[in-house]
Amino acid sequence: MTLDGDARCPAPRDVETILILDFGSQYAQLIARRVREAGAFSLLVAPDTPLERLQEHNPKGLILSGGPSSIHDEGAPRCDERLLELGVPVLGICYGMQLGCHLLGCDVEAAEAREYGRSRLKVECSTGLLASIPRETAVWMSHGDQVVGLPDEFETLASTPTCPHAAVKHRTLNFHGLQFHPEVTHTPHGVDILRNFLYDVCGCKGTWKMADFLESACHSIREEVGEDRVICGLSGGVDSSVVAALLSRAIGDQLTCIFVDNGLLRKKERDLVEATFRDHFDIDLRVVDATDAFLSDLEGVTDPQEKRRLIGHRFIEVFKQSAAEVAGEGRGEARFLAQGTLYPDVIESGHGHAGQAANIKLHHNVGGLPEDLGFELIEPLRDLFKDEVRALGDVLGLPPHIVWRHPFPGPGLAVRVLGEITRDKLDLIRECDEILLEEIVARNLYRSTDQVFAVLLPVQSVGVMGDGRTYDSVVAVRAVETSDFMTADWARIPHDVLAVISSRMINEVDGVNRVVYDISSKPPATIEWE
C-alpha cells in the first residue's frame, strides 16, 4: 500500500504540509480535506513510510489516522518507530492514538464493549489542542480498543463516560492523541480541534492558496515537459477542462488537445468544447468525429459492462490513431499524455482497491489507456480534490458553466439509454436531458444539486394523447446531492418544477408519454442507472 503524493506530481514548493499516515480509516480522505480547508496542504502516505521519506516533504506536522485493526492483531499496520525523531508535532486519531501511545509505553486493551456513535466529551484542559472547545461537547466514537494505562509522562486532556483518556498529550514529546474522530460532522467542534493542531500546535500560518498551487504546478509542468509536446484527451468535463487550461497556461502551443466525438454526447456538447477551448483559450484542438464507429460497435448490445468495454476499446483505437498523427507532424516530440486524475483516484488505487478502480477507469475518457500507447503520463491534478479542481478552474479563468458542470459519465449517453443503443433513442434522451437542465438552471437549482440527468428506460407504457391511446417510452429523472459521490441522497426538487419538466418532456419530445422521478439514495442504488 503506497500513497506518496510526490510520485509524478510533486507537492507544491514552500507550502506548509501535513502528512497523514493512513492506517485504513474510512475517514482518512476526510482528514485530508479538513486540513486543506483549514489552510494547510495535506498528503496521505502509507503508514510504514520510512522516516527519511517523510523528511523529504519537510512536514509541519503528522497525523496518524484511525483504522479497523487492533494494535494487537497479527499484521496490524505499524509506522516507523522513529517517527517522533522527526521533531514535528504528531496527532494520533483513534487507532493512531492507540499506536502512538503504545509506542510511548502506554497500555492499550480491548474496551468492555465496542463504542460506536455519539458520546459526551468532558474537557479537562482547555489550552493547546482543545483551546476554546466547550467544557462539554459531543464527539463521534468508533473503537474497540482504548488506552487504559497512562504513565506520568502523559496528561489527560479530556474524557467521556466510557473512555477515561479520550484526549491526551505527552508532557515532553510533541505527541497528542484523540480517541474520537474530529474530522466527521458528528463531532461539532472537530474542525476547531484540527485547526488548533495546525495553528497552535504545529505553528502553521495558513499559506495553502490555490493561486500559489497554480504557480507551483506551472513550474513543475515546465520542468517535466521541457521542449516536448503534450497531448491531452479533452472530454469537456471539469477535470479534463482544467487540465487543458492549466497546461495551456504552463506550456502554451506545446499542448495539443484531442476531443473524440463518439456520438454519445449531450446536445451541442461538441460545439461547447470547440467554442471554449479553440476560441476562448486558443488551444490547438483536434476534433475527431468517430460517431459511426462507436454506434456500429454498440449495435445490438444491451449489457452495461459490455457497452463500457466496447466504448473504452474503440476510444483507445481512435485516440491512438489521432495521437500518432499529432506525433508525426514534426513539431517536436509528443512525449507526454495528460490525464485528469484527481487525489481520490490516487487514494483509491493506492489502498488495495485496484480491481474496483480499474472498473471505474474502464469507462473514463482516457483512463485505462494501454502502456504501449508510447507516452509518459502527466497528471497535474493528482494532488487535488474535486472542489479544489473547481477552485483552480476559477483561478485559470474557465467560464462558470465549465467549472461548475455536473459530472458526465465516460460512456456518455450509452449508460443513460438502458438496453440497446440506437440513434433515435439517443436523440430522444438528448432532447429530454436538455429540457431537464434548462428547467434546473432556470429555477436556480443547478448549483444546489450535484448531478442531474435523464434516463431512457427499456419499457413502454400506455398513455392517452388527444383522442388516441399511445404506447411510448418512459423517462426517469435522476437528481442527487452529495459531497464526495461515494454516497449520495436524492435531491428534493420542488414538485412544481418536476411538473413543468414532466409536462415539457411529454409534450415536446416525440415518443415520451410518462416521466418518473428516482428517489433512491446511494447506497444501495448507484447514481447512474448502468
Side-chain angles (χ1 to χ4, degrees), residues 460-517:
Q460 291 184 306
S461 69
V462 174
V464 177
M465 289 190 179
D467 295 326
R469 286 163 57 88
T470 62
Y471 193 61
D472 283 332
S473 296
V474 180
V475 170
V477 172
R478 180 71 156 146
V480 299
E481 297 173 353
T482 176
S483 60
D484 54 16
F485 290 92
M486 298 174 71
T487 61
D489 193 15
W490 60 279
R492 273 59 172 178
I493 303 296
H495 290 179
D496 61 327
V497 178
L498 292 174
V500 172
I501 291 168
S502 174
S503 177
R504 286 195 58 192
M505 286 184 182
I506 292 171
N507 287 290
E508 297 178 27
V509 182
D510 187 32
V512 177
N513 70 356
R514 193 178 300 270
V515 176
V516 298
Y517 190 52

Side-chain angles (χ1 to χ4, degrees), residues 9-15 41 208-224 246 250 380 383 392:
C9 182
R13 299 168 298 151
D14 304 321
V15 168
F41 187 68
W208 168 235
K209 301 290 188 295
M210 191 51 64
D212 296 330
F213 177 87
L214 171 59
E215 179 184 352
S216 176
C218 287
H219 176 82
S220 298
I221 291 168
R222 293 186 195 108
E223 284 192 338
E224 184 175 4
L246 174 59
D383 285 338
L392 179 59

Side-chain angles (χ1 to χ4, degrees), residues 251-309:
I251 58 174
D253 60 7
Q254 291 173 247
L255 170 69
T256 294
C257 292
I258 297 175
F259 177 81
V260 177
D261 185 348
N262 57 13
L264 304 167
L265 306 175
R266 286 172 287 197
K267 190 173 182 180
K268 299 179 181 178
E269 180 88 0
R270 177 171 164 176
D271 295 341
L272 173 66
V273 171
E274 289 194 86
T276 300
F277 291 94
R278 181 174 287 156
D279 301 339
H280 183 71
F281 282 94
D282 194 27
I283 286 176
D284 179 19
L285 175 64
R286 315 295 176 89
V287 176
V288 182
D289 190 341
T291 298
D292 292 342
F294 278 92
L295 296 188
S296 176
D297 291 342
L298 292 169
E299 188 173 347
V301 178
T302 59
D303 180 72
Q305 281 303 104
E306 182 63 8
K307 288 181 186 179
R308 295 174 186 274
R309 189 191 69 79

Side-chain angles (χ1 to χ4, degrees), residues 5-61:
D6 59 351
R8 277 183 287 222
C9 182
R13 299 168 298 151
D14 304 321
V15 168
E16 297 169 335
T17 300
I18 302 295
L19 297 182
I20 301 163
L21 278 66
D22 182 8
F23 292 94
S25 170
Q26 61 179 317
Y27 303 128
Q29 191 177 143
L30 189 54
I31 299 172
R33 290 180 62 88
R34 294 288 184 254
V35 170
R36 294 193 188 184
E37 290 166 358
F41 187 68
S42 62
L43 282 176
L44 284 166
V45 298
D48 56 355
T49 303
L51 186 69
E52 294 75 17
R53 291 296 304 278
L54 299 176
Q55 287 175 321
E56 293 174 5
H57 293 276
N58 191 28
K60 295 285 287 184

Side-chain angles (χ1 to χ4, degrees), residues 312 316 339 357-358 360-371 373:
I316 289 169
Q339 187 168 339
I360 294 170
K361 286 298 180 183
L362 177 66
H363 63 274
H364 191 279
N365 281 354
V366 185
L369 289 174
E371 293 181 3
L373 197 59

Side-chain angles (χ1 to χ4, degrees), residues 445-471:
L445 295 171
Y446 192 80
R447 292 279 287 272
S448 62
T449 52
D450 296 289
Q451 196 165 356
V452 179
F453 56 91
V455 180
L456 179 60
L457 305 187
V459 295
Q460 291 184 306
S461 69
V462 174
V464 177
M465 289 190 179
D467 295 326
R469 286 163 57 88
T470 62
Y471 193 61

Side-chain angles (χ1 to χ4, degrees), residues 9 213 217 221 243 246-247 338-339 378-384:
C9 182
F213 177 87
I221 291 168
V243 168
L246 174 59
L247 289 167
Q339 187 168 339
I378 184 169
E379 300 172 307
L381 307 183
R382 63 180 281 115
D383 285 338
L384 300 184

Side-chain angles (χ1 to χ4, degrees), residues 94-210:
C94 198
Y95 178 89
M97 169 184 169
Q98 296 160 17
L99 178 59
C101 287
H102 174 72
L103 293 175
L104 292 170
C106 302
D107 294 329
V108 178
E109 296 180 3
E112 291 185 6
R114 179 175 177 84
E115 189 172 19
Y116 183 85
R118 290 182 184 273
S119 187
R120 296 298 298 177
L121 184 77
K122 182 178 180 181
V123 176
E124 300 172 19
C125 178
S126 296
T127 60
L129 187 67
L130 300 183
S132 302
I133 304 301
R135 286 289 182 179
E136 288 199 16
T137 184
V139 295
W140 185 260
M141 291 284 198
S142 178
H143 65 97
D145 294 346
Q146 63 185 33
V147 175
V148 294
L150 210 61
D152 291 340
E153 292 85 1
F154 275 85
E155 177 185 354
T156 297
L157 304 178
S159 61
T160 71
T162 58
C163 184
H165 309 298
V168 303
K169 76 171 183 177
H170 197 281
R171 296 184 190 275
T172 57
L173 300 174
N174 211 338
F175 176 83
H176 293 73
L178 299 172
Q179 186 55 71
F180 56 89
H181 289 274
E183 69 273 21
V184 300
T185 56
H186 304 299
T187 301
H189 291 280
V191 172
D192 299 323
I193 295 172
L194 288 174
R195 288 182 64 88
N196 286 342
F197 177 69
L198 296 179
Y199 291 96
D200 295 344
V201 179
C202 297
C204 291
K205 304 297 183 184
T207 59
W208 168 235
K209 301 290 188 295
M210 191 51 64

